[in-house]
Structures are given as C-alpha cells and as structure tokens.
Amino acid sequence: MQKGKLIIFSAPSGSGKTTLVHHLLSHPELNLAFSISAASREKRPNEINGKDYYFITPDDFKEKIDKGEFIEWEEVYKNNFYGTLRSEVERLLQAGKNVIFDIDVKGGLNIKKQFPDNSLAIFVQPPSINALKKRLQGRQTETPEKIKIRIDKANEEMKYAQDFDVILVNDNLEKAKKEAYQIVSGFINQPE
Ligand code: ADP
Ligand code: 5GP
C-alpha cells in the first residue's frame, strides 16, 4: 500500500489557507482528509466541534501535553493553545488517506522536520500586510484588538516563508486555488 502523504498549509492568519484547504478537500480524487487539531480557544459561531477543531479547555489541553498526545503544539496566541494529535494523524493514515493540515508556521515546520520523506510544506503568502488586515476585518470573526495581535504576529511569521517547500501567493483567489490544486496533485501522484 502506498504510504499516505502529509500536506501542510501554513501562513499568517487571514492569508486564506482555510479557504484553500477547503477547496482541495472538495476534490475526492486527491483522497485528502483534514487533520482536526485540538484548540483551547473559543468556538466561532460558524464552527463545529469535531469538524473544524476539537475544542477543549486549557486544562484538558495541558493534560494532553503531559501525556505526550501531541505530535506538535503551540501557544499560537497568549492562552490559546493549538496542537496536532498523534491519534488523529494515525487514524487518517490508517484509513488510507493523505492528510492535510492547516497549522501555524512553527507547527508546520515542526511536522515537516518529523516527516521529511512524505510531507510537503506550503506557505500561503498574502499579497501584503495591508491586504491581510482587510481580509481579517472582512471575515468579521475577531475583535479589532485580536486583529491587531494577528497582524503583529504576521510580520514575524512572514520571515519563515523561505523555510517552506513552496510559497503560494494568494492574491487572486481563483488563480491560487488552481495553483494549490496543481502543487498538491503533483506531489500526491509523484512516485515514492
Ligand atoms: P486563514 O485560514 O489563513 O486565516 P481564511 O481562509 O479564513 O484565512 O481567509 C481570510 C478571509 O479572507 C476570509 O474571509 C476569506 O474569504 C478571504 N479571502 C481568502 N482568499 C482571498 C483572496 N485571494 N482575496 C480576497 N479575500 C480572500
Ligand atoms: P484560528 O484561531 O484562526 O483558527 O487559528 C489560529 C492559528 O492557529 C492559525 O495559524 C492556524 O493555522 C493555527 N493552528 C490551527 N491548528 C493548529 C495546530 O494543530 N498546531 C499549530 N501549531 N497551529 C495550529
């Protein structure tokens, strides 16, 4: 059986990685399954527990860290923990899937380092910080203070772009979707 591939999408918040990941998941021929992360932040109204994230309390999150249940985890924002559960990735690989991740820049590079042979790390780059700000405002899911925190962090995260296998600029969304599809299908269909 062919070993499943790991496709990592990382980028500053608001770059469009969730949009691109959902687009790829709508193509059954890619045989992708989304790695549902655990998160300690509050659920947004449009999110579903067990689909977008496993929403857990900060105490439960810390217990899972102590038990070694995460492949990687980060305190992405102060008191907001996010992590990839080993059980989740194993479950999807066992089901014969390629696994797609939407995780922060440090977590993405961490997974790439642990799985160098079968992973592809893609950095989604916004056309500018200003465009990022506009997208976050347009998404209407964060308060102005939280948007500021995300923008400040984005300036830091952009410095890691060069460490990824591919930089995908998300300016025109339709073009970025096509490019994402080509990159991912090329990697998945590449012989081992
Ligand atoms: P992320 O997952 O990286 O935080 P999202 O996928 O949630 O980002 O996208 C942030 C917002 O920007 C969403 O409202 C989305 O619809 C919008 N968006 C995504 N790509 C583009 C694009 N190329 N041009 C304009 N808006 C976009
Ligand atoms: P959001 O709160 O917008 O859903 O996500 C905030 C950030 O956390 C995003 O950059 C997202 O990709 C990242 N993230 C989500 N899940 C994980 C994870 O399991 N591990 C890490 N390191 N980051 C994650």
Side-chain angles (χ1 to χ4, degrees), residues 4-172:
K5 304 245 168 108
L6 308 183
I7 315 289
I8 304 154
F9 272 78
S10 294
S13 178
S15 304
K17 57 191 178 316
T18 307
T19 308
L20 292 172
V21 166
H22 283 168
H23 172 68
L24 293 170
L25 284 166
S26 73
H27 288 273
E29 71 280 10
L30 296 176
N31 191 28
L32 291 168
F34 181 60
S35 166
I36 304 166
S37 297
S40 72
R41 75 153 164 75
E42 277 183 31
K43 189 174 87 59
R44 296 175 188 145
N46 62 330
E47 288 176 325
I48 298 170
N49 186 22
K51 179 169 176 280
D52 298 290
Y53 285 107
Y54 299 114
F55 291 99
I56 59 175
T57 63
D59 282 348
D60 285 346
F61 201 103
K62 283 174 191 151
E63 197 181 313
K64 287 187 187 300
I65 295 174
D66 292 343
K67 287 190 183 157
E69 290 185 28
F70 291 110
I71 292 179
E72 65 74 36
W73 63 270
E74 297 285 337
E75 186 176 4
V76 179
Y77 303 105
K78 201 167 182 320
N79 290 323
N80 281 357
F81 294 85
Y82 299 80
T84 305
L85 292 161
R86 192 176 305 281
S87 57
E88 175 73 3
V89 178
E90 279 170 2
R91 175 177 76 83
L92 300 174
L93 288 176
Q94 295 248 315
K97 294 290 190 179
N98 298 307
V99 185
I100 189 162
F101 301 81
D102 173 343
I103 65 179
D104 92 318
V105 169
K106 282 194 189 149
L109 291 174
N110 189 341
I111 294 201
K112 174 178 149 63
K113 207 160 129 199
Q114 293 186 57
F115 302 92
D117 301 334
N118 59 331
S119 68
L120 181 74
I122 301 167
F123 185 92
V124 181
Q125 189 165 290
S128 66
I129 292 284
N130 205 29
L132 201 63
K133 202 170 170 182
K134 287 209 175 107
R135 285 181 197 174
L136 284 174
Q137 286 165 344
R139 195 170 71 185
Q140 298 186 321
T141 52
E142 262 79 26
T143 59
E145 299 84 74
K146 289 211 171 133
I147 290 180
K148 187 175 180 307
I149 292 170
R150 285 175 184 239
I151 294 294
D152 288 345
K153 192 174 164 94
N155 282 306
E156 268 307 300
E157 290 169 320
M158 297 282 262
K159 295 180 190 156
Y160 290 91
Q162 303 302 328
D163 298 335
F164 282 73
D165 296 315
V166 182
I167 298 176
L168 172 62
V169 178
N170 178 17
D171 187 355
N172 176 306

Side-chain angles (χ1 to χ4, degrees), residues 174-192:
E174 288 314 307
K175 187 164 166 268
K177 280 181 179 172
K178 284 198 188 105
E179 280 175 16
Y181 183 87
Q182 276 166 3
I183 293 163
V184 171
S185 69
F187 180 68
I188 283 172
N189 295 316
Q190 178 180 298
E192 278 177 65

